[in-house]
Amino acid sequence: MQMGSVTTPFGRRPMTLALARRQAALADIRQGKTADKWKVFRDASAAMELLGIQSNSLAVLDALLSFYPENELRQDAQLIVFPSNAQLALRAHAMAGATLRRHIAILVEAGLIVRKDSANGKRYARKDSDGQIESAFGFDLSPLLARSEELEVMAQQVMANRAAFRKAKENLTICRRDVRKLITAAMEEGAEGDWQAFEDIYVALVGRIPRVPTLADVTRIIEEMEMLREEVIKRLEMQEDSRNSSTNAAHHEQHIQNSNPESTYELEPSSGKELGAKPSKMRRPKSEPIKVFPLGVVLKACPTVSDYGPGGAIGNWRDLKSAAVVVRSTLRISASAYQEACEAMGPENAAVAVACILERANFINSAGGYLRDLTRRTERGEFSIGPMIMALLRANGQGSLQAG
């Protein structure tokens, strides 16, 4: 630390090591470095929340910069301004004295300005015989020059976060609309399924959105809302496939009967074992694995799995997948069976399936065999995690989730 560049504050204002370090760092400003003062001010304004300053603090900083005569801050220039409190308050929109002093302290604490106090605490400049400022006491603007690149990066980060937040809110609005209207349509048109349970899950998710959400809040909610939308769509698609299968089978049977109108006997049902016989059950094409329900709903349906999480708790999908690995070993499910489940269902669905098996372990003879069966059914497009979760919720007395 170059102590020669450090000055202590006048009067009762305390000195801190952090302040000393910030002052010493000003001696390391690159030779010839320059920055537009208003560009630096705009960057500081954009990054005000990250800097921990307020709008009034920016008003004071704006006033201080107005006392510096040049538009460009230079490493080789005198960057100390020395207005009186009266002058400074006037340029800061007639700010009250106590408020002015408080926001000056905030700017100092944020590392945007440094006090350079005289022996008596007065702010002034001493000029040489040529009228040039030889030394000055007041507020040093050098930190703005020293941190110009840092402030620019902070401002860019804030703008990127705002854009991401705006996009996330738009996506959440669209996703909410999709889920809301799909569930309503399913209910009004009498589609098969426990649509009230989907309704309860939707209401619970919406109820978790804070009044003033952050990007993290919106990102977390939209991830779960998208999973719910995918499950609703998948459930509707399964019903449509089932309806088409029934229609095609009826049409095929009618065609066979009509193709031999002189036949005097009825066709006997095939056992499916005759030579050349084709399975009567139509298979759905394999679909992309999806995450089914919000993690909170999964944990309500399968509370036992939390005991196997890191530290005896599960806070995110990564924790659930880690717990599933432990449960797999406990239930003697082979690594290959679990790997096949992950490939067919996706890692999240496979972890949920293991959690469901754990919850009903007393009723399952072979956990590994049961998981392999679920994997084969998934590959045929005949399995969804949804009904298992719903059944466990009802078994646990939580078939109707409440928002909160």
Side-chain angles (χ1 to χ4, degrees), residues 223-380:
E223 179 182 0
E224 300 186 15
M225 189 69 73
E226 286 175 344
M227 288 190 288
L228 180 59
R229 178 176 61 183
E230 289 171 356
E231 177 61 18
V232 169
I233 293 174
K234 185 174 182 179
R235 186 65 55 85
L236 293 173
E237 288 176 346
M238 290 174 65
Q239 292 192 21
E240 186 64 24
D241 289 345
S242 177
R243 186 180 300 109
N244 292 338
S245 298
S246 300
T247 303
N248 292 339
H251 177 75
H252 183 61
E253 181 179 354
Q254 183 179 6
H255 175 73
I256 293 175
Q257 292 174 348
N258 293 339
S259 66
N260 188 9
E262 298 179 359
S263 175
T264 57
Y265 59 87
E266 296 181 0
L267 296 175
E268 294 182 0
S270 170
S271 65
K273 296 181 181 179
E274 292 85 348
L275 182 62
K278 296 182 180 179
S280 60
K281 186 172 185 178
M282 299 187 66
R283 296 181 179 179
R284 297 176 62 240
K286 181 179 177 182
S287 58
E288 290 296 322
I290 60 173
K291 290 182 283 188
V292 182
F293 280 108
L295 180 61
V297 176
V298 172
L299 295 179
K300 287 182 179 180
C302 310
T304 308
V305 74
S306 296
D307 296 336
Y308 296 84
I314 292 177
N316 51 50
W317 282 100
R318 180 180 297 177
D319 291 347
L320 179 61
K321 288 186 284 187
S322 298
V325 173
V326 179
V327 173
R328 175 198 69 76
S329 177
T330 303
L331 296 179
R332 298 183 181 278
I333 298 173
S334 66
S336 62
Y338 185 63
Q339 180 61 33
E340 290 172 4
C342 288
E343 293 173 357
M345 305 177 187
E348 292 83 5
N349 272 352
V352 174
V354 170
C356 292
I357 293 172
L358 173 66
E359 204 66 28
R360 305 292 289 173
N362 293 337
F363 304 94
I364 299 175
N365 293 329
S366 172
Y370 189 76
L371 182 61
R372 286 188 185 277
D373 180 63
L374 297 182
T375 301
R376 288 192 294 269
R377 289 166 58 192
T378 300
E379 291 172 341
R380 296 195 298 265

Side-chain angles (χ1 to χ4, degrees), residues 35 54 60 68 76 178:
Q54 305 167 14
V60 174
Y68 184 72
D76 58 352
D178 292 346

Side-chain angles (χ1 to χ4, degrees), residues 70 74 76-78 82 125-136:
E70 306 293 333
R74 303 195 318 274
D76 58 352
Q78 175 65 259
F82 38 89
R126 183 178 293 112
K127 299 181 179 180
D128 59 19
S129 57
D130 296 327
Q132 300 296 318
I133 296 179
E134 183 178 49
S135 61

Side-chain angles (χ1 to χ4, degrees), residues 68-90:
Y68 184 72
E70 306 293 333
N71 281 334
E72 191 175 64
L73 302 175
R74 303 195 318 274
Q75 177 269 336
D76 58 352
Q78 175 65 259
L79 296 179
I80 297 176
V81 293
F82 38 89
S84 66
N85 280 353
Q87 293 173 317
L88 189 56
L90 186 62

Side-chain angles (χ1 to χ4, degrees), residues 1-62:
M1 183 182 296
Q2 302 179 30
M3 295 305 296
S5 60
V6 174
T7 61
T8 57
F10 172 78
R12 297 180 179 179
R13 290 192 296 271
M15 182 65 182
T16 64
L17 294 181
L19 179 60
R21 283 192 293 270
R22 285 198 292 266
Q23 291 187 34
L26 300 181
D28 298 327
I29 297 177
R30 187 181 71 252
Q31 289 289 328
K33 182 177 181 179
T34 63
D36 183 281
K37 69 178 182 180
W38 298 121
K39 169 66 167 56
V40 177
F41 175 75
R42 288 193 296 271
D43 290 340
S45 299
M48 60 181 291
E49 292 184 3
L50 297 180
L51 293 168
I53 61 179
Q54 305 167 14
S55 57
N56 279 346
S57 307
L58 291 173
V60 174
L61 182 60
D62 178 57

Side-chain angles (χ1 to χ4, degrees), residues 78-280:
Q78 175 65 259
L79 296 179
I80 297 176
V81 293
F82 38 89
S84 66
N85 280 353
Q87 293 173 317
L88 189 56
L90 186 62
R91 293 199 188 182
H93 313 296
M95 187 177 293
T99 304
L100 177 70
R101 289 189 292 273
R102 183 171 71 254
H103 287 286
I104 289 175
I106 290 174
L107 291 173
V108 172
E109 182 63 26
L112 296 178
I113 62 173
V114 169
R115 293 179 185 272
K116 187 175 181 182
D117 289 343
S118 64
N120 59 7
K122 301 291 185 180
R123 301 173 202 149
Y124 60 90
R126 183 178 293 112
K127 299 181 179 180
D128 59 19
S129 57
D130 296 327
Q132 300 296 318
I133 296 179
E134 183 178 49
S135 61
F137 299 94
F139 301 107
D140 192 348
L141 303 178
S142 297
L144 294 174
L145 177 60
R147 301 180 62 185
S148 59
E149 296 92 349
E150 177 192 353
L151 293 173
E152 182 178 9
V153 171
M154 293 172 71
Q156 292 173 352
Q157 183 61 51
V158 168
M159 298 305 294
N161 288 344
R162 287 178 182 171
F165 184 46
R166 183 170 58 253
K167 183 178 179 180
K169 287 200 300 182
E170 291 174 353
N171 291 340
L172 178 58
T173 299
I174 294 172
C175 191
R176 284 181 60 181
R177 182 186 65 199
D178 292 346
V179 174
R180 172 71 278 167
K181 292 194 173 184
L182 287 171
I183 293 176
T184 300
M187 287 180 167
E188 291 179 350
E189 297 180 22
E192 295 181 3
D194 191 356
W195 295 105
Q196 185 58 51
F198 282 104
E199 171 76 7
D200 292 338
I201 294 170
Y202 171 79
V203 172
L205 281 178
V206 173
R208 286 171 47 199
I209 302 175
R211 179 177 297 179
V212 184
T214 63
L215 177 59
D217 294 329
V218 174
T219 301
R220 183 167 54 252
I221 295 296
I222 196 173
E223 179 182 0
E224 300 186 15
M225 189 69 73
E226 286 175 344
M227 288 190 288
L228 180 59
R229 178 176 61 183
E230 289 171 356
E231 177 61 18
V232 169
I233 293 174
K234 185 174 182 179
R235 186 65 55 85
L236 293 173
E237 288 176 346
M238 290 174 65
Q239 292 192 21
E240 186 64 24
D241 289 345
S242 177
R243 186 180 300 109
N244 292 338
S245 298
S246 300
T247 303
N248 292 339
H251 177 75
H252 183 61
E253 181 179 354
Q254 183 179 6
H255 175 73
I256 293 175
Q257 292 174 348
N258 293 339
S259 66
N260 188 9
E262 298 179 359
S263 175
T264 57
Y265 59 87
E266 296 181 0
L267 296 175
E268 294 182 0
S270 170
S271 65
K273 296 181 181 179
E274 292 85 348
L275 182 62
K278 296 182 180 179
S280 60

